[in-house]
Amino acid sequence: MVVLGIETSCDETGVALYDTRRGLLGHALHSQVAMHAEYGGVVPELASRDHIRRLLPLTRQVLERAKLGIRDIGAVAYTQGPGLAGALLVGASAAHGLAYALGVPAIGLHHLEGHLLSPLLADPAPEFPFVALLVSGGHSQLMRVGGVGDYTLLGETVDDAAGEAFDKSAKLLGLGYPGGPEIARLAQRGQAGRFQLPRPMIASGDVNFSFSGLKTAVMTLVNKHPLDDQGRADLCAEVQAAIVDVLVAKSLAALEDTDLTRLVVAGGVGANRLLRERLTARADARGCTVYYPDLEFCTDNGAMIAFAGAKRLERNEQEDGLSFSVRPRWDLEELTPPAAGLAS
Ligand code: KG4
Ligand code: ZN
């Protein structure tokens, strides 16, 4: 069966086709980053309007490229939450409209479940169970993943997410949005250690995180020192090193606590090269393996939603009737089996 996946939870319109027999048939993405850049962050109303403009042309594009017709779609999966309410509604209403017109099932997905399962699109795919480090713009969590829908929270941030720490530090440094890639780019010609930032909660004895102190420390440094280009690069290198050090230490602690040997990294911050290098090196040294989604599937995309939708449909989950809702706030642990609450 071919599943159409639709992702519109934030500032990326993602569409993909996943065939339960042949795998991913194609995907397309439109990023609104340039549109939001002048505001220094995502403007929800602009995001919703742009999703409306992009969604159907992108859907036509993936169908054409996969040489499929609209009638080949066997189910429609969409991001039901969490995210921006208006943006989610665009995807949810388009998905339900299409599913109704085609007489096929629709299924609403949790955005983070999409991220969590996205490394399974890669080859080799990790086997269950594994520890997942989920690091996106709004979340920093370590989960134990026993199977589709079997998610146990091991630890999470008590304040800002890792992506937020990148984004807020970048803003303080006068860099563009999103901040993670900008900081990583400047850090390449900087020297970590020249400025010293804390590694919050690194020795707290649990696998929770705290990143809000970092932005305060960055603010203090920026206010104290007028930074030249090299200074900004050095501070970027330190910001990146501080975040990566904490993520690596906590991920290894989670592997140890759970006695598992497979670690999966998901979410936008998972695209960070230093994080990948350090995690892989430290995990290898302990006989553990780290799995990453392909870079293009780290940040928001339709493929992860089509894939997660296919996995849920395999378990005969789908939504009944014509009504639907979105869930701008939605706790991933609510999905723990039996996967309740998906049908609205
Ligand atoms: O998963 P994602 O695309 O969107 C959410 O669901 O939030 O994650 C976006 C986050 C942003 O905070 C962005 O700055 C960060 O991922 N990010 C990175 C990198 N690429 C994206 N952070 C560090 N290094 C990167 N290369
Ligand atoms: Zn995301």
Side-chain angles (χ1 to χ4, degrees):
M1 179 177 55
V2 175
V3 181
L4 171 71
I6 295 177
E7 155 64 38
T8 64
S9 67
C10 189
D11 59 348
E12 253 117 21
T13 318
V15 176
L17 292 166
Y18 182 84
D19 185 331
T20 45
R21 280 181 303 114
R22 291 185 290 161
L24 189 66
L25 301 180
H27 73 105
L29 187 81
H30 176 77
S31 168
Q32 304 175 353
V33 161
M35 185 181 78
H36 297 293
E38 64 178 296
Y39 305 98
V42 178
V43 183
E45 182 59 27
L46 293 183
S48 315
R49 291 179 193 198
D50 202 58
H51 286 308
I52 293 173
R53 272 193 293 272
R54 308 289 174 181
L55 192 50
L56 293 182
L58 283 177
T59 306
R60 273 188 212 108
Q61 186 184 319
V62 285
L63 282 168
E64 265 165 34
R65 286 195 188 154
K67 299 199 169 29
L68 293 182
I70 199 156
R71 296 267 160 209
D72 294 314
I73 295 172
V76 187
Y78 65 96
T79 304
Q80 191 177 15
L84 303 169
L88 289 166
L89 273 170
V90 177
S93 41
H96 271 270
L98 257 175
Y100 177 65
L102 297 172
V104 301
I107 182 163
L109 273 296
H110 195 293
H111 179 79
L112 294 180
E113 177 170 55
H115 276 304
L116 210 55
L117 299 181
S118 61
L120 299 178
L121 279 165
D123 188 20
E127 280 173 33
F128 297 116
F130 52 76
V131 170
L133 171 67
L134 196 57
V135 270
S136 67
H139 291 83
S140 295
Q141 298 181 326
L142 278 158
M143 319 271 315
R144 183 189 187 281
V145 180
V148 175
D150 180 2
Y151 313 127
T152 311
L153 185 68
L154 302 171
E156 65 183 333
T157 182
V158 298
D159 42 52
D160 288 353
E164 234 174 325
F166 273 112
D167 295 338
K168 289 179 176 172
S169 301
K171 204 167 183 175
L172 288 165
L173 284 160
L175 304 174
Y177 180 88
E182 291 287 304
I183 289 197
R185 192 174 51 81
L186 266 180
Q188 280 178 340
R189 48 187 182 78
Q191 186 69 47
R194 181 181 153 203
F195 297 105
Q196 280 182 356
L197 291 173
R199 271 52 175 171
M201 285 179 71
I202 200 160
S204 61
D206 56 23
V207 293
N208 291 322
F209 309 93
S210 164
F211 290 110
S212 73
L214 265 184
K215 106 196 132 206
T216 317
V218 170
M219 189 161 30
T220 312
L221 277 171
V222 170
N223 289 340
K224 218 161 52 185
H225 304 272
L227 293 174
D228 58 9
D229 272 0
Q230 188 57 48
R232 288 205 312 170
D234 291 341
L235 188 48
C236 283
E238 179 67 10
V239 169
Q240 177 174 249
I243 297 171
V244 166
D245 281 353
V246 176
L247 294 176
V248 170
K250 300 284 175 166
S251 301
L252 291 174
L255 284 170
E256 206 169 304
D257 291 352
T258 52
D259 231 359
L260 293 177
T261 55
R262 287 178 291 270
L263 174 70
V264 157
V265 181
V269 180
N272 187 274
R273 202 175 297 158
L274 184 74
L275 176 67
R276 289 180 170 224
E277 281 169 17
R278 296 247 171 109
L279 259 184
T280 301
R282 294 274 303 276
D284 273 1
R286 290 202 189 185
C288 297
T289 314
V290 194
Y291 298 83
Y292 304 94
D294 289 342
L295 275 180
E296 59 185 337
F297 300 138
C298 269
T299 45
D300 293 349
N301 64 85
M304 66 184 194
I305 299 303
F307 178 73
K311 292 286 148 199
R312 293 233 163 227
L313 288 157
E314 271 172 12
R315 298 172 4 155
N316 288 325
E317 292 179 26
Q318 64 184 68
E319 295 179 359
D320 300 322
L322 292 178
S323 69
F324 62 90
S325 62
V326 294
R327 304 183 67 172
R329 287 173 181 277
W330 189 5
D331 197 346
L332 185 62
E333 272 204 306
E334 287 173 34
L335 299 187
T336 302
L342 268 176
S344 45

